[in-house]
Amino acid sequence: MTRVAELKKRLMQNPEFRAEYEKADVEFALIEALVRARTSAKLSQAELAAKIGTTQSAIARLEGGGVSPSLATLKRYAEATGSKLQIDLVPSQ
C-alpha cells in the first residue's frame, strides 16, 4: 500500500475526518456531474450561462465548487443541458 493510501486508511478511522471526507466526496461528485452534463450537451460555459440567464463566471464558480447551488439553479442547469435532475437520499453506512 502507498503512503497516501495508508494515511487515508488511518485518517478514515477518525469519525470527524470521515464525515468531512464524505461530505467533500459528494460535492466533487456533483461538480463532476455538472461538467459532464455540460460537455455532453456540447456547450461552453458561456453558452450554458446564456441559456440559464446568468454569466459565464457564475457557471465557472458553480463548476469549481465555489458556491452551493440552489435546487432551482440545479434544475435550470439540468434543463439547459438536456439532463434530468435526480436527487436521492440513501441510508448512512
Side-chain angles (χ1 to χ4, degrees):
M1 201 180 303
T2 66
R3 287 183 178 186
V4 172
E6 291 171 6
L7 176 62
K8 179 183 172 189
K9 184 178 178 179
R10 191 173 75 233
L11 290 172
M12 290 295 276
Q13 293 173 357
N14 178 321
E16 290 177 26
F17 177 86
R18 179 183 286 279
E20 289 300 313
Y21 182 89
E22 289 173 354
K23 185 170 73 172
D25 194 39
V26 169
E27 291 172 10
F28 289 132
L30 174 59
I31 291 167
E32 183 180 328
L34 292 172
V35 173
R36 187 174 43 250
R38 180 179 55 77
T39 56
S40 292
K42 296 181 175 41
L43 295 171
S44 67
Q45 288 181 342
E47 291 167 330
L48 177 60
K51 289 182 95 169
I52 293 177
T54 190
T55 63
Q56 178 275 327
S57 61
I59 298 299
R61 283 192 302 276
L62 180 63
E63 292 181 355
V67 295
S68 294
S70 68
L71 188 54
T73 297
L74 292 175
K75 286 179 182 179
R76 287 194 318 270
Y77 193 107
E79 189 175 292
T81 60
S83 303
K84 175 184 169 190
L85 178 62
Q86 180 175 323
I87 299 173
D88 191 17
L89 297 174
V90 296
S92 296
Q93 307 250 345

